[in-house]
Amino acid sequence: MIVLPLQKGSNAERSKHRNRQAILGQLRTAGAMGRAEIARALSLTTQTVSNIIAELSQDGLLLEMGRVSAGRGLPAIQYALNPEGGYALGIEVRPDAIFAALLDMHGKAVATERIAVTQAQPDVVMTHVKALYARALDQVPNARHRTLGAGIVMPGPFGETGITGMGSDLPGWQEVDAETLFEEAIGLPVVLSNDANAAAMAERINGVAQDITSYAYLYFGAGLGLGLVHGGHLVRGAYGNAGEIGHIPVPGQSGNLEDALSRLSVQRHLQLAGKDAHNVDTLDQFFQQNDPDLMAWLTSASAALGHAMAIVENMFDPQTVILGGAMPDAILDHLVAHAPLPDLSVSNRPNAPHPRLMRGASGRMTATLGAAALILNRALSSPISHAH
Amino acid sequence: MIVLPLQKGSNAERSKHRNRQAILGQLRTAGAMGRAEIARALSLTTQTVSNIIAELSQDGLLLEMGRVSAGRGLPAIQYALNPEGGYALGIEVRPDAIFAALLDMHGKAVATERIAVTQAQPDVVMTHVKALYARALDQVPNARHRTLGAGIVMPGPFGETGITGMGSDLPGWQEVDAETLFEEAIGLPVVLSNDANAAAMAERINGVAQDITSYAYLYFGAGLGLGLVHGGHLVRGAYGNAGEIGHIPVPGQSGNLEDALSRLSVQRHLQLAGKDAHNVDTLDQFFQQNDPDLMAWLTSASAALGHAMAIVENMFDPQTVILGGAMPDAILDHLVAHAPLPDLSVSNRPNAPHPRLMRGASGRMTATLGAAALILNRALSSPISHAH
DNA sequence: ATTGATAATTCAAATGAATTGAGTTAGTCC
DNA sequence: GGACTAACTCAATTCATTTGAATTATCAAT
């Protein structure tokens, strides 16, 4: 997965493809618009936009919303993304279960499926994934020939690294080319990603980051993950393993960030007190009951979160940091409210337009939805970074 | 400096511009090539490359290197970048001095200038900068009408943040629009950056990162800075202050990373022992003499560097981390050799193609050269990220 | 109610740049 | 020496955007 310095040339066809994407992306972020308005936003002529809009309409990707008058002149015909114009499949592979979700172009989940598994070897997973996709399509007949691709979420890190074999990765997957395997199994273009990255994109497509282009997402999976988005695109690192924040040592304590701040951490902590909290709902109940052991954990977790904020903010200078993943919303809210935000941070600026830390909005299936969001994001934005 | 979600459309002209840049960039990274070979690398037709090469030659940007036969067929005429085809100005503004460097297209410094200053208010700086540019042009008459732009390096962070006013920023610059000021003063397009970012780009243009596209640069300025390069482009953060790693707390010690790992840190440490080390050469002498106080500092600095590595590697998963800045090479080498590289890191992979930590090659004027490198990088690569 | 200004849209023709296809040239391989 | 191969050139074509003129629908002022 090494990044090559390749810089492809451009031609008329590629330009057109880019402009199609740009128009779709513009309609997604800014809502319904007229053609002239789109043209101004993208520095194109109205004629060009008109031509492309005609094609997109033909392809069923747009909805005409009628004319809306705004001041003088001919009122513009408003166009909006047709949610049923395309779909994206999201697959999340965990050691004990496989999740699938089908998202429409608005990022709404129109079908969700899950299946419990006892084994997660590649061949077993492929069989299940095929079945889940078929079941999702049965619910949404429209989607059969309109699915743009599949995003797959699997526990990282990918490839052999210094944190391989620490329990979070799946057995039997080290040697295989997962991307090709999935591509052949479901017959769609595939994007592979870890849970934190996917969750980060879920917020961008259908959560609190819809108008935020540079942010970090702290994700409660088994451990603690981080998804980095810069200029609307994921920062994956040279080998796709950027954001392994859980393994960074914590000041003042022995151990790593995820020893204090993760699902495993809270489970372990409560287990020492003889309490079982393997379930998110159980955890929520403990919190509602003000369970003293949970509260003790929250105190140390808040401190660790404060430290994570110092690292993330000073390293990436994001617009905001979003907290989410496999935790009850109430606990996430508590952490957001109680984490000590570091004073010594570039993000500690007056009149910041966004809160420094906020809770994600995508709920429990975040990673699965995020997997699909990776596909939507690719369909709706070209890999061009912001102009300076 | 907030990143806007703008995604401009494309047309024939913009395509051509992009292809020109792509060809120049290809010649820079891969050296002299024939037209057909370039065409294959960029997915263009030979004819297109032929047309653009003709124009670039006309503009004096290329050198014909004669035919080189390689196997069967007509030997290709090799084209290479003409170093004298364009120049980039780099300016570094420090509280006590201003540096200027003029780089040719190969990234070679063809003129360097410096001037000591007692005041660094905007108006004073502008006067000096104009003079330095003029002096540089006197040395390289060719460059007068071929300077592509100016990169400016100033102490960050930019804008008001939680680490403003900690001694590293310049007085009188908080309220001004520095970019416009410089643009008007020297009549060139300007890119503004902090020292660590500039140093990172210097390594890419003319150092150890020429064939590395994703890396981090740990920079010894007054404090400790970090430049992040992903896919050949700087990751600046939402407000341009990404990489303020010096203010991250260190585990096991009170204080920040730059309390243990920076110029100020070593100066302070030696001052407590009654030794003055404000000068890089003095520092070098202490090192050559195995000065016990310096050695003690190096021990704690190495530990801090190890911790910085854990953060940078796990957060960013770079191909390598480069260490450089205002330190003697011998000390940098010592740190590279003695820093404890964390086992628990995504970068701790077998058969890694690059060392995890290496010393930068740009020498003492790193930041100034890097400022100019920002311009060259912009001229030689379009803001298109790597395809997946 | 009429008239003028404004803005969105469409149609047809022009333009810019890349591609295509048919030669030409200069080497290697047998 | 002849077949083969690959780079390169020329001219014609294609693709997609732009340009400019004409049309339409609404607002605002008289």
Side-chain angles (χ1 to χ4, degrees):
Chain A
M1 163 96 178
I2 295 187
V3 174
L4 291 172
L6 252 186
Q7 179 172 219
K8 285 268 187 76
S10 181
N11 62 17
E13 248 174 291
R14 294 194 266 248
S15 280
K16 176 153 200 178
H17 184 243
R18 213 195 118 150
N19 288 344
R20 277 179 63 117
Q21 283 194 147
I23 289 177
L24 289 172
Q26 180 68 24
L27 290 179
R28 205 200 73 77
T29 49
M33 299 174 78
R35 289 173 254 200
E37 198 182 352
I38 296 172
R40 281 190 300 267
L42 303 179
S43 303
L44 291 170
T45 56
T46 36
Q47 188 53 50
T48 301
V49 174
S50 232
N51 295 338
I52 295 177
I53 290 271
E55 281 186 32
L56 293 174
S57 281
Q58 190 66 37
D59 295 349
L61 291 169
L62 298 182
L63 291 178
E64 276 196 30
M65 311 296 281
R67 292 186 189 273
V68 172
S69 100
R72 294 186 167 189
L74 204 174
I77 301 171
Q78 304 293 111
Y79 289 90
L81 276 194
N82 178 6
E84 299 177 10
Y87 297 86
L89 178 65
I91 302 279
E92 182 180 0
V93 181
R94 297 191 194 171
D96 58 344
I98 303 175
F99 296 79
L102 201 59
L103 264 56
D104 67 18
M105 291 294 271
H106 278 358
K108 204 183 83 180
V110 290
T112 58
E113 296 284 342
R114 63 170 295 173
I115 190 168
V117 296
T118 52
Q119 298 179 307
Q121 299 100 317
D123 54 338
V124 178
V125 168
M126 292 307 150
T127 311
H128 288 310
V129 162
K130 269 190 260 193
L132 290 175
Y133 180 34
R135 272 156 56 184
L137 285 183
D138 286 343
Q139 292 179 53
V140 191
N142 251 352
R144 187 167 297 276
H145 301 292
R146 289 183 165 276
T147 309
L148 303 168
I152 315 276
V153 164
M154 299 181 60
F158 301 114
E160 206 174 333
T161 72
I163 58 176
T164 300
M166 297 192 62
S168 59
D169 38 1
L170 294 179
W173 288 81
Q174 264 64 42
E175 307 294 316
V176 303
D177 176 1
E179 204 159 310
T180 315
L181 226 52
F182 279 107
E183 230 152 55
E184 285 169 1
I186 49 186
L188 291 174
V190 156
V191 173
L192 199 64
S193 175
N194 68 34
D195 42 15
N197 282 341
M201 288 316 292
E203 294 296 337
R204 182 152 176 71
I205 293 293
N206 206 4
V208 296
Q210 293 192 53
D211 60 344
I212 297 180
T213 55
S214 293
Y215 59 96
Y217 189 107
L218 272 168
Y219 179 82
F220 283 104
L224 181 67
L226 181 75
L228 295 168
V229 178
H230 192 243
H233 292 273
L234 282 171
V235 175
R236 301 184 120 103
Y239 300 90
N241 291 324
E244 283 294 337
I245 192 175
H247 303 282
I248 294 177
V250 188
Q253 305 177 16
S254 64
N256 303 332
L257 263 176
E258 67 183 20
D259 292 339
L261 192 64
S262 68
R263 279 292 303 285
L264 280 174
S265 155
V266 68
Q267 283 168 16
R268 229 181 279 130
H269 187 90
L270 290 178
Q271 199 153 33
L272 287 179
K275 294 165 183 165
D276 179 74
H278 277 70
N279 188 302
V280 172
D281 291 320
T282 323
L283 213 47
D284 200 18
Q285 284 164 25
F286 282 128
F287 182 75
Q288 303 304 338
Q289 296 158 7
N290 262 303
D291 180 273
D293 293 307
L294 178 57
M295 289 305 166
W297 177 81
L298 277 172
T299 303
S300 84
S302 294
L305 178 55
H307 181 59
M309 289 294 288
I311 293 178
V312 172
E313 289 184 342
N314 282 314
M315 286 279 292
F316 274 95
D317 191 19
Q319 287 168 283
T320 189
V321 178
I322 302 172
L323 187 69
M327 278 283 176
D329 281 353
I331 290 186
L332 293 175
D333 284 332
H334 179 96
L335 286 168
V336 166
H338 290 82
L341 299 179
D343 290 333
L344 267 187
S345 163
V346 292
S347 296
N348 181 20
R349 47 173 64 83
N351 308 319
H354 304 281
R356 287 166 68 182
L357 179 61
M358 53 205 285
R359 173 167 66 77
S362 300
R364 300 213 187 144
M365 284 196 73
T366 304
T368 313
L369 300 179
L374 292 171
I375 298 294
L376 288 183
N377 189 59
R378 206 182 50 166
L380 299 175
S381 74
S382 40
I384 304 245
S385 53
H386 41 96
H388 293 294
Chain B
M1 164 89 178
I2 296 186
V3 174
L4 291 172
L6 253 184
Q7 179 171 220
K8 286 270 189 73
S10 180
N11 60 18
E13 253 172 286
R14 294 194 265 246
S15 279
K16 176 153 199 177
H17 184 242
R18 211 194 119 151
N19 288 344
R20 278 179 63 118
Q21 282 195 149
I23 289 176
L24 289 173
Q26 180 67 23
L27 290 179
R28 205 200 74 78
T29 50
M33 301 174 78
R35 287 174 256 199
E37 198 181 352
I38 296 172
R40 281 190 299 270
L42 303 179
S43 303
L44 291 170
T45 56
T46 32
Q47 189 53 51
T48 302
V49 174
S50 232
N51 293 338
I52 295 178
I53 290 273
E55 281 184 33
L56 293 173
S57 281
Q58 190 66 37
D59 294 349
L61 292 168
L62 299 182
L63 292 177
E64 275 196 32
M65 311 296 281
R67 292 188 189 272
V68 172
S69 106
R72 298 184 165 186
L74 204 176
I77 301 171
Q78 304 293 113
Y79 289 89
L81 275 193
N82 178 6
E84 300 178 11
Y87 297 87
L89 178 66
I91 302 279
E92 182 180 1
V93 181
R94 296 189 193 173
D96 58 344
I98 303 175
F99 296 78
L102 202 58
L103 264 56
D104 67 19
M105 291 293 272
H106 278 358
K108 203 182 85 179
V110 290
T112 57
E113 295 285 341
R114 63 171 296 175
I115 189 168
V117 296
T118 51
Q119 298 178 309
Q121 298 101 316
D123 55 337
V124 179
V125 168
M126 291 309 148
T127 310
H128 288 312
V129 162
K130 270 190 259 193
L132 289 174
Y133 180 35
R135 271 156 56 185
L137 285 182
D138 285 344
Q139 291 178 53
V140 191
N142 252 353
R144 186 167 298 275
H145 301 292
R146 289 184 165 274
T147 308
L148 303 169
I152 315 275
V153 163
M154 297 181 60
F158 301 115
E160 205 174 333
T161 72
I163 56 176
T164 300
M166 297 192 62
S168 59
D169 38 0
L170 293 180
W173 289 81
Q174 264 63 42
E175 308 294 315
V176 302
D177 176 1
E179 204 160 310
T180 315
L181 226 52
F182 280 109
E183 230 151 55
E184 285 169 1
I186 50 187
L188 292 173
V190 156
V191 173
L192 200 64
S193 174
N194 68 34
D195 41 15
N197 282 341
M201 288 316 291
E203 293 297 337
R204 181 148 177 74
I205 292 294
N206 207 4
V208 296
Q210 293 192 53
D211 60 345
I212 297 180
T213 56
S214 293
Y215 59 95
Y217 189 107
L218 272 169
Y219 178 83
F220 283 105
L224 180 67
L226 180 75
L228 294 170
V229 178
H230 192 243
H233 292 273
L234 281 171
V235 176
R236 301 184 120 102
Y239 301 90
N241 290 324
E244 282 294 338
I245 192 174
H247 302 282
I248 294 177
V250 189
Q253 306 177 17
S254 65
N256 303 331
L257 264 175
E258 69 182 20
D259 292 339
L261 192 63
S262 67
R263 279 292 303 284
L264 280 175
S265 155
V266 66
Q267 283 168 15
R268 231 181 279 130
H269 186 90
L270 290 178
Q271 199 153 34
L272 286 178
K275 292 166 184 167
D276 179 76
H278 278 71
N279 189 304
V280 172
D281 290 320
T282 323
L283 212 48
D284 200 19
Q285 284 165 24
F286 282 128
F287 182 76
Q288 303 304 340
Q289 297 157 4
N290 260 303
D291 179 272
D293 293 306
L294 178 58
M295 289 306 166
W297 177 82
L298 277 172
T299 303
S300 84
S302 295
L305 178 55
H307 181 59
M309 289 295 288
I311 293 179
V312 172
E313 288 184 342
N314 281 313
M315 287 279 291
F316 196 61
D317 191 20
Q319 288 169 282
T320 188
V321 178
I322 303 172
L323 188 68
M327 278 282 177
D329 281 353
I331 290 186
L332 293 175
D333 284 333
H334 179 97
L335 285 168
V336 166
H338 290 82
L341 299 179
D343 289 334
L344 267 188
S345 163
V346 293
S347 296
N348 181 20
R349 48 173 62 84
N351 309 319
H354 305 279
R356 287 166 68 182
L357 180 61
M358 53 205 285
R359 173 167 66 77
S362 300
R364 300 214 187 143
M365 284 194 75
T366 304
T368 313
L369 299 178
L374 292 170
I375 299 293
L376 288 182
N377 189 58
R378 205 181 51 167
L380 298 176
S381 74
S382 39
I384 305 244
S385 53
H386 42 96
H388 293 293

